[in-house]
Amino acid sequence: MSPANASHNRFGAHAAPITSATYGFGTLAIHAGSEPDAATGAVIPPLSLSTTFKQRAVGDFVYEYSRSDNPNRSNLEAAVAALEHGTHGFAFSSGSATTATVLNTLQPGSHVISVNDVYGGTHRYLNKVAQSMGVSTTFVDLAHIDNLRDAIRENTRLVWIETPTNPTLRLVDITAVAEIAHEAGLFVVVDNTFLSPYFQTPLDLGADIVVHSATKYINGHSDVVMGVAVTSNDALASKLRFLQNAIGAVPSPFDCYQAQRGIKTLHLRMRQHALNAQRVAEYLEASSFVESVIYPGLKSHPQHELACRQMRGFGGMVSFRIRGDTHTADRFLQRTRLFTLAESLGGVESLAELPARMTHAGLAPEERNELGITGNLIRLSVGVEDIEDLITDIAQALESAVRENDDEIAI
C-alpha cells in the first residue's frame, strides 16, 4: 500500500478507509486516494516526478520504478476504483491505450462481440489492430438483446458495450447483456465515458470491467489525455496489472495529478452538464430549424424508459440533425461563438462537431448511413457555461445556417 493510501500516519492515529460502502459520491471524489501526505502532512498529496525509488533492502520497497507504479498514479487509481464501485483501478496513457490493454487479455483466435455504434477509435482498433493479432469482432445492434445470443460463437470471449453510444446516443441494457454473457462464460466490458461514474456504475449492473477515456469528463478540463479501467475481478485485475507494466502505456505523474484534481469536482460538473444538456435538448426539439434531437433525457428518446432505470442522470451529450444537409451543418458549426468546433468532449467548455466528417470519418459511408451518422448530424458536448448564453448561441447559429440554406434552395 502506498503512503498516500495508508490508514495510519504520523498526523493522525487512524483514518477510516475511504470506500463507496461508507461515503457518498462527492465525498469519495474529494477524499478517495487523497489522504494527507504521511511525511509532511500536506493536505493535497504532492507531485512525485521521480522515475525510480530507494529500496530499503533488495526487493524491499513500496515503489520501485514509475512505469510499474507511482504515488500519483496509485492515488488516481484508488479514486476511480472507489467512484466506479470497484476494487482495482488502472490508469493508462489514453483511452485507446486502455482499449488495447484490455483486448490484449485475449488469446489469438478469440472472438469479440461489440456494439455496432461504437466510438470510431475503438472500431478502428478492433477492425485493424486486434484482427491482425488474431482477435476477430462481430459488430451487433445490442439494443435488441436477441442479437447478442445469435452472435455468440464457441470462441467468443468478450462483449464490448458503449452506452450511451457515440454519437447516436443509443442505449444498451447492461444487466440484460451481462446475464446472457455470463451464462456463456463471457466477460463484459462497458465504456462509461459518456456518463461518468456519477450517472452510471456498470459494475453494479453486472459488467466485469468498466473503461473510460479519462480525457473527457473524469479530468474535465481538456488538458489531459488519459484512460482508466476498473474491475472487481481479481483474475482480470492481475492480467491488467501485468499488461499495464509490460506494455508500458502509462500516464505521467503530472497527468495523474491533474486528473485527480479534476475528479474532485466531478459531481458538481456532471450535475451542471446534465442540467444544461436537458435545456439545450428541449430547445432544439422545439426549433423549426431542427429535424430531430437525440438525448436520453427526452421522452421522445426511444429508450427513455431504460435510461431512467439504468442511469442516475442523462449526461451532457446531445446530438441533433439540423434541417438541411452537411453544408448547413458546416455553416452552423462555423457560426457558433461559445460552442467551439473541435473533437473530444466532457470539458467544462462547450464543443460541437460533425461526426460524419470528424470523429467517425474512418467508417465506410455505408456503415455511417446504417448507424444513422448522417451528414447533418451534429454532436454537442454541452459545457457548464450559463445556459441562457448557450441557447442564444445555438439560436443565432441555427437561424443563420438554415436560412442561408433555404435561400440557396430558393435560388
Side-chain angles (χ1 to χ4, degrees):
M1 179 178 288
S2 71
N5 292 323
S7 59
H8 291 79
N9 62 57
R10 60 182 286 200
F11 293 93
H14 178 77
I18 305 295
T19 69
S20 58
T22 51
Y23 293 100
F25 191 97
T27 303
L28 288 174
I30 293 167
H31 293 286
S34 191
E35 294 289 341
D37 183 60
T40 66
V43 172
I44 299 300
L47 176 61
S48 178
L49 295 175
S50 184
T51 57
T52 191
F53 301 86
K54 181 180 178 179
Q55 301 188 17
R56 292 180 286 264
V58 176
D60 181 9
F61 55 82
V62 176
Y63 295 99
E64 178 186 21
Y65 185 64
S66 271
R67 185 189 71 247
S68 303
D69 206 355
N70 171 277
N72 296 112
R73 195 172 89 219
S74 62
N75 290 346
L76 174 64
E77 290 172 339
V80 295
L83 294 178
E84 281 288 4
H85 300 173
T87 56
H88 307 279
F90 306 89
F92 299 91
S93 55
S94 69
S96 295
T98 307
T99 298
T101 304
V102 169
L103 291 171
N104 263 278
T105 64
L106 303 177
Q107 295 297 314
S110 298
H111 173 247
V112 173
I113 298 170
S114 170
V115 63
N116 59 344
D117 191 7
V118 73
Y119 164 59
T122 303
H123 187 280
R124 178 175 59 241
Y125 188 89
L126 288 167
N127 242 4
K128 304 293 186 182
V129 183
Q131 185 170 334
S132 70
M133 298 167 64
V135 175
S136 60
T137 304
T138 301
F139 295 93
V140 175
D141 179 2
L142 292 178
H144 303 286
I145 201 66
D146 287 339
N147 293 342
L148 174 59
R149 289 190 179 92
D150 295 341
I152 294 174
R153 305 176 186 171
E154 186 177 342
N155 63 333
T156 305
R157 297 290 179 267
L158 184 149
V159 180
W160 190 283
I161 298 172
E162 276 183 25
T163 182
T165 60
N166 178 10
T168 56
L169 303 178
R170 293 188 179 97
L171 306 183
V172 178
D173 188 329
I174 297 171
T175 300
V177 167
E179 287 175 356
I180 294 171
H182 291 161
E183 284 176 6
L186 315 180
F187 292 115
V188 176
V189 180
V190 177
D191 185 335
N192 201 28
T193 298
F194 265 34
L195 288 179
S196 89
Y198 185 69
F199 285 136
Q200 182 171 267
T201 41
L203 298 183
D204 294 340
L205 300 170
D208 299 289
I209 302 175
V210 57
V211 298
H212 291 263
S213 171
T215 308
K216 280 62 172 191
Y217 287 112
I218 283 182
N219 177 62
H221 293 80
S222 302
D223 55 8
V224 167
V225 174
M226 186 186 293
V228 297
V230 177
T231 185
S232 291
N233 183 303
D234 292 342
L236 287 174
S238 180
K239 288 182 179 181
L240 290 172
R241 186 66 70 190
F242 172 80
L243 290 169
Q244 182 190 46
N245 184 50
I247 297 172
V250 295
S252 72
F254 182 73
D255 282 353
C256 293
Y257 182 93
Q258 288 282 88
Q260 188 158 13
R261 184 181 66 170
I263 279 177
K264 291 177 186 293
T265 60
L266 180 60
H267 56 304
L268 305 176
R269 290 184 283 108
M270 292 311 297
R271 289 174 197 160
Q272 196 60 47
H273 281 299
L275 287 170
N276 283 359
Q278 184 74 35
R279 290 278 302 277
V280 165
E282 290 170 356
Y283 173 81
L284 289 169
E285 192 169 50
S287 173
S288 61
F289 300 123
V290 173
E291 287 183 2
S292 61
V293 184
I294 312 169
Y295 183 65
L298 293 175
K299 291 182 179 180
S300 58
H301 191 287
Q303 295 169 293
H304 179 68
E305 183 180 343
L306 174 59
C308 293
R309 174 162 39 94
Q310 180 167 278
M311 297 147 55
R312 294 182 294 273
F314 305 116
M317 302 301 298
V318 177
S319 293
F320 73 98
R321 292 183 177 87
I322 194 168
R323 200 185 84 206
D325 55 17
T326 189
H327 301 295
T328 318
D330 197 16
R331 289 191 186 103
F332 171 86
L333 292 167
Q334 291 182 49
R335 292 173 188 181
T336 55
R337 302 184 184 112
L338 297 179
F339 282 84
T340 301
L341 174 58
E343 296 191 6
S344 198
L345 59 103
V348 291
E349 68 290 323
S350 293
L351 302 177
E353 66 116 2
L354 193 63
R357 288 164 54 193
M358 294 172 69
T359 53
H360 291 69
L363 297 180
E366 58 272 19
E367 290 178 300
R368 289 198 301 270
N369 289 335
E370 183 181 346
L371 294 173
I373 305 173
T374 55
N376 66 337
L377 180 72
I378 295 169
R379 190 190 75 181
L380 303 178
S381 174
V382 183
V384 299
E385 301 95 335
D386 290 330
I387 186 58
E388 293 79 8
D389 296 331
L390 294 180
I391 288 177
T392 298
D393 189 36
I394 290 171
Q396 62 82 24
L398 270 178
E399 182 171 5
S400 172
V402 175
R403 289 198 185 283
E404 185 169 333
N405 182 69
D406 290 347
D407 290 344
E408 288 181 353
I409 293 173
I411 294 171

